[in-house]
Amino acid sequence: DIKLSTQGFNVKVQRQVWQEVVNPFRNGARLTHAIEIEPASRLAALYPGIGRATTNSIHHQSIKALAPGFAIEARCPEDGTIEAIRRRPEGGSGFVAAVQWHPEFHEPGGAETFDDSAMLADFLAECRRAKEADATRVSAEARARGPAGAPARTIPSRPIPAHKPGR
């Protein structure tokens, strides 16, 4: 689900969010803040050498307790708010990466906030891998069915016993 928020992913599993974050930066006072990227995370691998960055900050909810199967990838150094999460391999199948900020608000080439293009490229690469894996699975299933026009394999059936009233 591309649209589901960071806290939305977490709520689906853990059901714990801060409902109304006190955000002194709302109402136009300041719409950005710093994040610190966890060093051993995939986010850090996507942005080598960048330990701290600036993102937009317009959220009013945040993760209260991280759901099992997820890892924290970035936090706000000012208040410890979880800013980015990713599902760990043991947490389930499928690609799940979520951020607290809004990547779609970043101006391409703009230097004032975090350049989200590496995250987008990573997401699109995962989409391609999933599509290829699905195509491989469908192809294998087609091969297992046999050539087109071949008679379908049937399973011998047994007669169904007649229903007797009172039993």
Side-chain angles (χ1 to χ4, degrees), residues 28-101:
R30 184 176 105 180
L31 297 177
T32 62
H33 68 78
I35 61 162
E36 287 183 348
I37 299 172
E38 295 292 324
S41 66
R42 185 163 172 176
L43 193 59
L46 293 173
Y47 294 93
I50 299 177
R52 192 174 180 129
T54 300
T55 64
N56 58 55
S57 178
I58 58 173
H59 48 271
H60 69 95
Q61 292 180 322
S62 67
I63 294 173
K64 183 176 184 178
L66 187 65
F70 285 83
I72 297 170
E73 296 221 314
R75 288 183 182 270
C76 174
E78 297 168 13
D79 60 12
T81 297
I82 296 170
E83 295 285 338
I85 62 173
R86 186 176 302 270
R87 182 166 37 206
R88 295 189 309 256
E90 68 274 14
S93 63
F95 178 87
V96 176
V99 295
Q100 185 73 11
W101 62 91

Side-chain angles (χ1 to χ4, degrees), residues 7-16 65-70 87 91:
Q7 58 271 18
F9 278 120
N10 197 71
V11 165
K12 277 186 150 182
V13 180
Q14 184 72 15
R15 306 240 184 270
Q16 291 189 31
L66 187 65
F70 285 83
R87 182 166 37 206

Side-chain angles (χ1 to χ4, degrees), residues 133-148 153:
D134 193 49
T136 300
R137 180 189 55 77
V138 169
S139 178
E141 289 172 357
R143 282 192 305 277
R145 284 193 300 271
R153 290 183 247 159

